[in-house]
Amino acid sequence: MAAADAALPGGDVWRNGLVQAVLWLNALVMLYPIAIMFLSGFKTTGEIYTSPFALPKSFSPANFITIWEQTNFARYLINSLLITSASTALTVAAGVMAAYALARYRFPGNGAIYLFFLACLMIPLKLAIIPLFIQLKALGLIDTRAGLVLVYTAMGLPSAIFIMTGFLRTLPSELEDSARIDGASEALIMTRVMLPLARPAMVIAAIHNAVPVWNDFFFPLVFIQNDRLKTLPQGLTVFMGEYNTEWGVLFAGLTLASLPITLLYIALSRQFISGMTQGALK
Amino acid sequence: MTAALPRSLWIAGLLAPALIITAVFVVVPLASALGYSLYSWNGLARGAFAGLENFRIVLFQPPFSTWTWAAFSHNIIAFLALMIVQNGTAFSLAFLLLKALPGHRFHRVVIFLPVILSSVIIGAMWKLFLNPIFGIINQGLIAIGLAGLAQPWLGQPSTALASIIFVNAWHWLGFPALLFLAGMQRISSEAIEAARLDGAGDWQLVRHVIWPLVAPATTVVAILTFIGSFNWFEMPYIMAGLDGSPGGATDVLGLYFYRTAFGNVTAGLQDFGRASALAVLMFVFIAVIAAWWARVLRAREIES
């Protein structure tokens, strides 16, 4: 870590104090709205209107129970879990195969294929939504989870390949060579020798893809009409409409929807941060 | 040479799934969008070949062209505002985090927290906060004696777009901040110490050492902000609705494209031809400008 103040022995107490003050002010701006959202979930709607900044009178779970029992929240949650895990697994599996071929073998067309995936990296797939819609309809995949999973996999593959190829190229070839001399097959070398070493890159690629898929709203909006198949962000817009005057329930719903990923983030913040920023930086 | 064939088959087998999925769900749809834009459409059915007619309509024939250019101007405003407000703040915070004072890890985690949440959650939350009567923004302004500043943030054309841009900046701030921080941490500590020994203060250090050397991160942040601003959809959709209310003040190309493609409650009409023309124009605009700008920014990286 480059300490910017390294050459200032003793440091500047006043200036460091100011830096801390700005950082804490920023933390307040970031956390206060989320805290209000969380606390408002425990309030009655009247309480939110009359005393928006106060702590709730009681931490009654009534609003959360309403969400769980009277909306399809649990179903939306399961759909999001299924779609996110399936597309992430597919992306990492197909991605690591391609990345392995690109990183560990020399063959004609290697460079061109790598460039092709690189070119796909920046493409906003939203703009191809009309042909995608028609294509999925022709394949019978509109209003199915499988359709979403395939589109998300296609969307995630370029960055997954980019991240994992970069990592696999850095592995030394000695292990590979000695396994080859021992007569191990190419498949065995890949799955038993090399890929176990690539696990950190696979985790980063998985997070890099899972977070945007979990949060996505655009593709379900177009592809999914059946309420039983809706994802969590999409389902939230449904219930925001239904409960638009019951603010206690709305805030409880928003809190509940943000809870799974927030808890995961708090537990794995380092992996999340490097996972999400890694694809952007070389 | 018996191993040669199985080996090339093995490599082909490794590449096939990724190539097939990408071809079917990225390359073919993108190419089709171009084809679709050259036809007239009746709902889902393709009609007669129309040449560049769809492009002429969305670019030059009112009221369609009026909507296109109005939406485009809002994208430009969003892009410029995010570059200055969001990325400027992000750069400053990254520099403060670089000092690695006690608690910097906590601040890093905090600033990135909104980034991992869905635009739907963030947008809906702030929409409630910005409510003219019961939202905490106006209630807070009244509580501290600034009742005069309380206003219907999302309900009037003069503040609606700015409010959505602010929420978007709040949502994504951590992303450019941590990209800048990663870039700054790659600067060799010798370069920084040398500047310090020459008596450089913070301002000179940023101006002459950090800003030029953090150029690779700046390139990435600028290009991502550009691409994000010109296919912006979620935040305006959640906070202002599909019509870019009030009165189109928050309409952006993404919303206009979606309305043209899939219709909306008020107009109910959908036109795949015009929508595809819009998509092609947006795609070409984004690709050409991003490629050109990336070259300019990269050249700057090498210079410094």
Side-chain angles (χ1 to χ4, degrees):
Chain A
M1 189 147 303
D5 278 341
L8 280 183
D12 184 339
V13 178
W14 272 103
R15 207 181 38 201
N16 286 352
L18 193 66
V19 169
Q20 290 284 21
V22 174
L23 287 175
W24 279 104
L25 179 70
N26 178 68
L28 187 72
V29 172
M30 291 288 141
L31 292 179
Y32 190 67
I34 294 175
I36 291 274
M37 169 178 86
F38 174 76
L39 292 173
S40 301
F42 293 97
K43 295 179 177 179
T44 63
T45 302
E47 221 181 324
I48 294 172
Y49 289 171
T50 51
S51 46
F53 302 101
L55 285 174
K57 286 197 188 92
S58 74
F59 278 88
S60 139
N63 294 327
F64 294 92
I65 292 171
T66 305
I67 303 276
W68 200 258
E69 288 181 348
Q70 290 175 26
T71 72
N72 282 332
F73 189 91
R75 182 170 292 282
Y76 302 147
L77 185 70
I78 290 169
N79 287 333
S80 273
L81 278 173
L82 285 175
I83 289 166
T84 307
S85 41
S87 64
T88 306
L90 261 178
T91 305
V92 173
V96 81
M97 286 165 64
Y100 188 81
L102 293 171
R104 306 304 300 187
Y105 296 108
R106 254 185 288 174
F107 57 90
N110 183 318
I113 294 176
Y114 183 67
L115 273 181
F116 164 73
F117 284 118
L118 214 56
C120 291
L121 203 56
M122 293 287 191
I123 288 177
L125 200 56
K126 272 184 212 169
L127 295 178
I129 191 74
I130 295 173
L132 270 175
F133 178 81
I134 291 177
Q135 205 169 310
L136 288 182
K137 207 165 178 83
L139 295 169
L141 290 171
I142 283 292
D143 235 354
T144 64
R145 294 187 201 98
L148 271 181
V149 168
L150 286 168
V151 171
Y152 285 141
T153 305
M155 204 167 67
L157 273 172
S159 64
I161 290 172
F162 177 66
I163 292 169
M164 293 190 289
T165 306
F167 184 87
L168 285 165
R169 275 183 183 155
T170 65
L171 294 180
S173 52
E174 282 81 15
L175 278 172
E176 204 180 344
D177 293 340
S178 66
R180 217 162 263 149
I181 291 163
D182 289 346
S185 70
E186 293 300 318
L188 209 63
I189 294 172
M190 173 178 154
T191 53
R192 292 288 156 78
V193 181
M194 301 305 276
L195 291 194
L197 298 173
R199 220 171 274 153
M202 288 162 79
V203 170
I204 283 183
I207 291 177
H208 185 86
N209 285 293
V211 175
V213 169
W214 176 263
N215 287 336
D216 184 54
F217 166 66
F218 184 76
F219 289 104
L221 180 69
V222 179
F223 295 154
I224 304 289
Q225 276 102 45
N226 183 346
D227 194 59
R228 300 173 60 81
L229 297 174
K230 284 181 176 167
T231 64
L232 196 51
Q234 190 189 13
L236 267 183
T237 63
V238 175
F239 116 103
M240 295 293 297
E242 277 171 25
Y243 287 85
N244 63 23
T245 55
E246 294 183 51
W247 282 33
V249 179
L250 289 182
F251 278 118
L254 293 174
T255 302
L256 217 50
S258 49
L259 216 52
I261 195 165
T262 306
L263 294 178
L264 208 60
Y265 171 67
I266 291 170
L268 300 170
S269 59
R270 212 156 41 93
Q271 285 85 343
F272 264 74
I273 291 172
S274 59
M276 290 187 68
T277 51
Q278 196 109 100
L281 290 175
K282 266 176 238 161
Chain B
M1 285 310 287
T2 45
L5 185 66
R7 182 155 168 160
S8 57
L9 265 181
W10 162 245
I11 293 174
L14 287 176
L15 288 165
L19 281 175
I20 292 171
I21 295 174
T22 315
V24 174
F25 294 101
V26 178
V27 178
V28 173
L30 274 175
S32 317
L34 181 61
Y36 289 3
S37 65
L38 302 174
Y39 287 83
S40 64
W41 287 75
N42 283 311
L44 281 174
R46 203 174 69 182
F49 183 78
L52 296 176
E53 179 65 6
N54 289 319
F55 290 89
R56 191 190 64 77
I57 293 174
V58 297
L59 285 176
F60 304 114
Q61 182 181 310
F64 306 102
S65 58
T66 326
W67 292 329
T68 309
W69 294 109
F72 182 60
S73 72
H74 296 148
N75 285 98
I76 292 178
I77 293 170
F79 166 64
L80 295 175
L82 290 172
M83 280 300 282
I84 296 166
V85 179
Q86 170 192 289
N87 297 344
T89 312
F91 183 90
S92 318
L93 288 168
F95 180 64
L96 300 187
L97 287 169
L98 181 69
K99 289 170 175 280
L101 297 179
H104 69 104
R105 276 172 226 282
F106 166 80
H107 289 296
R108 247 169 42 144
V109 172
V110 166
I111 200 176
F112 207 72
L113 174 61
V115 175
I116 59 138
L117 295 175
S118 171
S119 303
V120 176
I121 295 174
I122 304 286
M125 177 182 92
W126 277 99
K127 194 178 173 184
L128 295 176
F129 289 164
L130 289 165
N131 181 287
I133 299 163
F134 302 116
I136 56 164
I137 300 294
N138 282 352
Q139 295 238 37
L141 286 171
I142 291 166
I144 59 172
L146 293 172
L149 288 179
Q151 48 199 304
W153 300 99
L154 294 170
Q156 59 190 11
S158 56
T159 51
L161 183 63
S163 303
I164 300 173
I165 292 171
F166 163 78
V167 173
N168 200 75
W170 183 88
H171 183 193
W172 289 106
L173 179 66
F175 196 71
L178 293 196
L179 285 181
F180 277 129
L181 179 62
M184 290 176 188
Q185 285 171 339
R186 283 179 196 189
I187 299 172
S188 74
S189 41
E190 288 90 54
I192 291 175
E193 275 162 36
R196 285 296 195 203
L197 288 174
D198 288 346
D202 271 1
W203 170 245
Q204 279 133 335
L205 183 71
V206 169
R207 173 93 182 67
H208 299 295
V209 180
I210 292 181
W211 176 247
L213 290 180
V214 87
T218 314
T219 305
V220 173
V221 168
I223 298 294
L224 289 179
T225 306
F226 176 76
I227 296 175
S229 304
F230 282 91
N231 68 92
W232 205 27
F233 177 81
E234 276 87 348
M235 202 57 91
Y237 178 90
I238 297 296
M239 296 190 68
L242 199 43
D243 294 314
S245 61
T250 59
D251 200 17
V252 289
L253 287 174
L255 290 176
Y256 178 43
F257 163 63
Y258 186 93
R259 279 204 310 275
T260 313
F262 299 104
N264 63 341
V265 187
T266 46
L269 297 166
Q270 64 178 106
D271 188 320
F272 275 1
R274 281 206 319 268
S276 296
L278 276 171
V280 169
L281 288 168
M282 287 163 73
F283 182 79
V284 170
F285 176 79
I286 292 174
V288 168
I289 304 279
W292 166 78
W293 203 25
R295 280 187 62 162
V296 172
L297 290 169
R298 293 250 160 75
R300 195 183 70 106
E301 287 171 27
I302 295 157
E303 253 169 50
S304 51

